Amino acid sequence: MRGLVTELSRRLDAHQRSRIAELDLTPTQAKALEELGEPKTARELAGVLCCEPPNVTYVISKLEKQGMVVRQPHPLDGRAKQLVLTEAGRELRLDLLRRMGTASPLDHLSHEERIALRDDLLKALGRGA
């Protein structure tokens, strides 16, 4: 069983990396774009990405130079800045998400089978369905 889970994980990872590379992004940049569907502070994004805030600053600076992200004042905390996708960033994020969902190793599963797999994985992880 463990071997099957490992093989599926490798296939999903290879699929994800190839889709990310098509857009000339690093895996961290892609994950940041995915997570910025809603504005976040650098600290919040660092928490989601499981990295230190200086690493997020580096990634966001590169996306900012590409015109994908802007820093805006936080509406509730005058000391903080929010990371917000630009129109180009939103388009790139949607393109990334579309590509990730295309030609996936799970494509041969029906919608019901995918839901069942998700539920079983959540149960195995102790997170319920």
Side-chain angles (χ1 to χ4, degrees), residues 20-92:
I20 291 168
E22 290 172 0
L23 296 172
D24 200 28
L25 296 169
T26 67
T28 307
Q29 288 172 325
K31 186 65 177 164
L33 285 171
E34 282 184 73
E35 294 298 335
L36 287 174
E38 295 294 325
K40 289 181 175 47
T41 64
R43 185 167 304 284
E44 291 168 335
L45 186 58
V48 173
L49 298 179
C50 300
C51 66
E52 296 297 319
N55 294 342
V56 167
T57 300
Y58 175 76
V59 170
I60 294 303
S61 292
K62 290 185 84 173
L63 289 171
E64 195 173 32
K65 286 178 187 172
Q66 295 170 341
M68 302 297 150
V69 175
V70 293
R71 299 169 205 249
Q72 295 180 348
H74 192 285
L76 304 175
D77 183 351
R79 300 166 297 157
K81 298 276 187 192
Q82 279 190 320
L83 306 170
V84 180
L85 292 177
T86 63
E87 182 62 32
R90 286 190 294 278
E91 289 175 17
L92 181 60

Side-chain angles (χ1 to χ4, degrees), residues 89-113:
R90 286 190 294 278
E91 289 175 17
L92 181 60
R93 179 179 180 273
L94 288 175
D95 189 16
L96 172 66
L97 294 175
R98 267 192 300 273
R99 287 171 188 253
M100 299 286 250
T102 305
S104 164
L106 301 177
D107 276 357
H108 65 283
L109 298 177
S110 70
H111 178 71
E112 293 78 19
E113 290 170 325

